[in-house]
Amino acid sequence: MSTSRTETEFPNPYSAGLLGKRTPLAVLVGAFAVSVGVNWLFQLAEGGDFNIVGTILLTAIVYMVVIYFYSLLVEGARKAKDRLVTALVGGAFMLALLPLVSLIITVVTNGLARFDLEFFTYSMRNIVGEGGGIVHAMVGTLLMTLTATAISVPIGLMSAIYLVEYGRGPLARAITFFVDVMTGIPSIVAGLFAYSVFALIFGPGIKLGIAGAIALSVLMIPIVVRSCEDMLKLVPNELREAAYALGVPKWLTVLKVVLPTSIAGIMTGVTLAIARVIGETAPLLVAAGFTNNLNYNLVEGRMQSLPVLVYNQYVSQGSVPQAYLDRAWAGALTLILIVMALNLVARIIARYFSPKTGR
Amino acid sequence: MTTSATSGPRRGRTVQRLGDRIFSNSALTAGTLILAILAAVAGFLMLESIPAFTTDPEDINILSGQPFWSYVAPLVFGTLWASALALLMAVPVSIGIALFISHYAPRRLAQALGYIVDLLAAVPSVVFGLWGGNVLAPAVQPAYTWLTENLGWIPFFAPPASGTGRTILTAAIVLAVMVLPIITALSREVFLQTPVLHEEAALALGATRWEMIRTAVLPFGRPGVVSASMLGLGRALGETMAVAMVLSASGGITFAVLTPSNPGTIAANIALRFPEAFGENINLLIATGLILFAITLVVNMVARWIIGRRKEFSGAN
């Protein structure tokens, strides 16, 4: 750098003009300490609880300001900007974690209040205040989701087979494009569609479990097609060609070679699709309605489902609002547990049932 | 199996087996069925929404005398406005997260972090609604009061502040959280596809990590981020329960985001009104649903078109 006057002071050329390796961490800890202090002072002055979210946000802001100016003084503008962006990018991730953590904590703490035996063994029939349960909603969700799966898996899988094994030309391109577009159909529009179909046949005001199932399958088919298509594409062409070379007809090749090879992926995809639609509320609210009674019959009468129950308990709080809210939270907890379990099952299937390759 | 032509080799034509024909035809049918379903969705919605236009507005009591379009206009505005606000918040954060996972986090950790963000996508919308209404709205209410008192001169923060916190901004925050995983997942994929040579070239020229990202990663990923945002927009436009449970709508068109009077959204309006609706009211709601369908269809088609166009030129890399 400068002409050294004293022979003894050699600046290390690799670390001169740079922040130390531990400096950002030290700044972060300092920023955290400062914001905890500030929040503590606020708490003393105005009372109330310790503000965790405020502390985290303040820590982030203090850290960004300090690291930027510190780096600007020591390392120059370019490095300073780099450090600022690093802090911003990490901060964005932390920001996304906030709602997730908050949501999980509140759902678990509030949901445990009614997470008892009665909740899973009673329906809501003749219940106005406390008590009651979700049996009718569980039955409805199970029946409608299974029916939707039974409708969408054959259609979705065969379409995927068409796209991968047979489809060439404009029709295949159109199907691919519209499957993608169909993924974006608002769920409530699917519900309105199912309602319209049954209203035209049976007259207005009709709400049936089967209508809910059809609404769900409209949402489910594109998801199934996409995942199955991806999985079928992964099957190496050598397997197909080997089968053809042995004189196996195409349909048997697909049935006996392609499908068994990709079955794990397909099952994973279907499980994830179920997890996606099992939490759908709007289409079921519109097409299947809501009821307090247990209904096993898909083609007669309204059918309750778990998400709709959560919504109902929240929107129409009766004489004892807390009881309704508790049921809503417990229902939400059940729903999240079901979705998580399905996701877990999907991962397990993907891991243990995938074909063992030699390599 | 059932071979019709085993007698002798024929030239020029492959053997058509019955199984093959049945199988390929059923595959074709299934594929075409998807197109038919999409057409049926549009068709049935149109069929059912005709009475809303032919009936006298006086006879539809949700309309209470006003013409159809003046009823729909605030809803369309509310839908677009809430989604725009949500996107405004979600896109920068999503790009940040996507960059964090693709270029900042340690390789080993990156996949696990990706799962965590995907976890947000797995939460059902009704749970988001419950959380937004019971936890988020009371939590942000003091901030709203502060904003209206101190920054009230900005039109968006015009007073009075909502006493419950259930404003369109709260709904937009919930929507932002819900579309975050979608935009993040797609942006992440695109950022990871950046040619490594471009990145290394930038670094070799002495660029810092941010300069490398600005010059190599972001220009490459821009179409991907745009289409990811469009897909997120499509999701936000059609999101029903979270908005219905968080927003307390009173109609009217206003850009102020903190006041107690907010425009509703089409989807939330349908969910709130449909269970009690009767007669032509149902047709009216279906007609609004048709408008929502048209809007999301256009948004999604544009997004897919951008993605599709991108695929062609990224094949060379």
Side-chain angles (χ1 to χ4, degrees):
Chain A
M1 299 254 163
S2 57
T3 49
S4 53
R5 262 173 283 142
T6 49
E7 300 273 84
T8 46
E9 270 184 34
F10 277 117
N12 181 349
Y14 295 107
S15 68
L18 288 176
L19 293 184
K21 215 175 175 189
R22 300 248 167 86
T23 318
L25 193 67
V27 173
L28 189 64
V29 171
F32 184 66
V34 167
S35 32
V36 167
V38 168
N39 258 288
W40 184 63
L41 286 179
F42 255 101
Q43 205 187 341
L44 282 187
E46 301 193 359
D49 295 329
F50 187 78
N51 192 344
I52 300 171
V53 176
T55 311
I56 294 174
L57 289 180
L58 194 64
T59 307
I61 293 169
V62 171
Y63 173 77
M64 282 174 202
V65 172
V66 171
I67 199 81
Y68 180 73
F69 284 105
Y70 191 15
S71 174
L72 190 66
L73 291 175
V74 179
E75 299 175 316
R78 287 177 55 211
K79 268 280 186 187
K81 204 181 228 177
D82 186 44
R83 287 196 188 274
L84 181 67
V85 172
T86 308
L88 278 174
V89 163
F93 186 75
M94 293 296 150
L95 196 63
L97 283 189
L98 279 183
L100 183 65
V101 170
S102 158
L103 187 132
I104 289 175
I105 289 175
T106 45
V107 169
V108 170
T109 49
N110 291 320
L112 284 178
R114 274 304 316 276
F115 208 70
D116 48 29
L117 192 64
E118 191 188 355
F119 192 66
F120 293 99
T121 47
Y122 278 65
S123 77
M124 284 298 293
R125 188 181 174 90
N126 294 337
I127 290 187
V128 281
E130 290 166 6
I134 55 165
V135 169
H136 59 313
M138 295 282 263
V139 168
T141 291
L142 195 69
L143 285 177
M144 285 191 280
T145 315
L146 281 182
T147 315
T149 313
I151 297 172
S152 17
V153 168
I155 296 179
L157 185 57
M158 284 312 276
S159 311
I161 289 174
Y162 174 75
L163 288 176
V164 176
E165 306 290 336
Y166 295 95
R168 301 284 175 272
L171 182 64
R173 269 203 303 275
I175 292 175
T176 313
F177 181 76
F178 280 108
V179 163
D180 282 343
V181 169
M182 209 168 154
T183 325
I185 289 185
S187 56
I188 193 152
V189 169
L192 288 177
F193 159 68
Y195 169 81
S196 304
V197 172
F198 283 87
L200 277 179
I201 302 173
F202 297 106
I206 188 90
K207 307 248 161 116
L208 293 173
I210 188 80
I214 286 176
L216 288 185
S217 54
V218 169
L219 298 168
M220 200 170 166
I221 287 173
I223 311 177
V224 174
V225 175
R226 279 332 304 261
S227 55
C228 289
E229 197 190 343
D230 288 345
M231 288 307 137
L232 292 178
K233 273 183 186 159
L234 284 181
V235 176
N237 248 341
E238 284 83 351
L239 288 182
R240 296 190 183 92
E241 282 158 8
Y244 295 151
L246 292 171
V248 182
K250 187 160 186 172
W251 68 283
L252 272 179
T253 310
V254 174
L255 273 186
K256 301 274 179 185
V257 176
V258 177
L259 281 183
T261 315
S262 54
I263 193 70
I266 290 171
M267 277 157 65
T268 307
V270 169
T271 317
L272 287 178
I274 294 175
R276 274 275 274 286
V277 298
I278 209 166
E280 286 293 352
T281 320
L284 297 180
L285 183 70
V286 168
F290 45 83
T291 169
N292 285 335
N293 303 330
L294 195 54
N295 179 8
Y296 285 103
N297 195 346
L298 277 168
V299 290
E300 198 187 326
R302 298 160 169 248
M303 194 174 251
Q304 182 71 301
S305 57
L306 199 44
V308 175
L309 176 124
V310 173
Y311 171 72
N312 251 345
Q313 299 294 326
Y314 172 79
V315 170
S316 47
Q317 294 169 10
S319 47
V320 197
Q322 193 53 43
Y324 285 79
L325 265 183
D326 282 346
R327 278 194 292 264
W329 282 114
L333 180 60
T334 317
L335 204 53
I336 284 193
L337 286 177
I338 291 174
V339 174
M340 294 298 153
L342 283 171
N343 275 289
L344 203 68
V345 167
R347 292 219 185 288
I348 292 173
I349 293 173
R351 174 161 301 176
Y352 289 101
F353 292 85
S354 56
K356 305 285 180 286
T357 47
R359 280 167 288 177
Chain B
M1 280 313 214
T2 45
T3 48
S4 53
T6 41
S7 49
R10 266 191 275 163
R11 300 180 113 202
R13 282 188 68 203
T14 43
V15 185
Q16 277 288 327
R17 298 178 185 87
L18 184 64
D20 260 344
R21 242 179 300 153
I22 293 174
F23 197 73
S24 70
N25 279 337
S26 51
L28 179 67
T29 314
T32 329
L33 200 60
I34 289 181
L35 297 183
I37 290 173
L38 201 62
V41 171
F44 275 103
L45 287 185
M46 276 184 218
L47 210 62
E48 276 288 288
S49 55
I50 290 171
F53 296 99
T54 53
T55 319
D56 183 23
E58 299 287 341
D59 296 340
I60 304 179
N61 55 353
I62 291 183
L63 286 179
S64 59
Q66 57 181 333
F68 176 75
W69 292 109
S70 73
Y71 174 75
V72 174
L75 293 176
V76 173
F77 169 78
T79 308
L80 296 176
W81 181 226
S83 308
L85 284 173
L87 223 56
L88 209 65
M89 289 183 267
V91 170
V93 177
S94 305
I95 294 176
I97 300 171
L99 282 177
F100 182 76
I101 294 173
S102 68
H103 284 84
Y104 283 86
R107 255 315 123 76
R108 209 171 260 281
L109 217 62
Q111 206 176 13
L113 296 180
Y115 283 145
I116 291 178
V117 178
D118 289 343
L119 217 59
L120 268 180
V123 177
S125 59
V126 70
V127 180
F128 270 117
L130 204 57
W131 173 78
N134 280 325
V135 180
L136 185 66
V140 291
Q141 203 279 328
Y144 288 178
T145 314
W146 186 87
L147 278 173
T148 48
E149 279 168 6
N150 295 286
L151 295 170
W153 47 272
I154 301 175
F156 297 131
F157 300 148
S162 161
T164 53
R166 291 158 176 269
T167 73
I168 199 153
L169 185 62
T170 316
I173 293 174
V174 177
L175 285 181
V177 175
M178 297 180 72
V179 300
L180 203 73
I182 300 173
I183 306 180
T184 305
L186 270 164
S187 310
R188 189 177 72 200
E189 290 304 311
V190 182
F191 290 155
L192 282 173
Q193 281 172 18
T194 315
V196 182
L197 281 179
H198 293 194
E199 295 176 7
E200 286 172 354
L203 290 175
L205 289 169
T208 60
R209 183 146 49 171
W210 162 238
E211 284 161 350
M212 178 270 282
I213 286 171
R214 209 189 57 209
T215 54
V217 179
L218 288 185
F220 180 84
R222 192 176 297 132
V225 173
V226 169
S227 55
S229 311
M230 298 285 279
L231 290 182
L233 178 64
R235 174 88 192 269
L237 287 171
E239 182 45 52
T240 314
M241 296 331 280
V243 180
M245 292 165 82
V246 171
L247 184 65
S248 76
S250 58
I253 297 180
T254 168
F255 280 100
V257 294
L258 306 177
T259 61
S261 62
N262 299 287
T265 71
I266 296 177
N269 184 55
I270 297 173
L272 290 172
R273 301 270 189 153
F274 202 90
E276 273 92 41
F278 58 90
E280 269 80 34
N281 292 313
I282 291 180
N283 300 105
L284 172 75
L285 292 175
I286 291 178
T288 61
L290 184 64
I291 294 173
L292 178 68
F293 180 56
I295 296 175
T296 49
L297 208 61
V298 169
V299 168
N300 278 305
M301 281 166 94
V302 171
R304 292 298 170 188
W305 180 70
I306 296 176
I307 296 179
R309 208 180 47 158
R310 197 184 168 287
K311 254 180 205 151
E312 284 157 23
F313 66 78
S314 77
N317 292 306

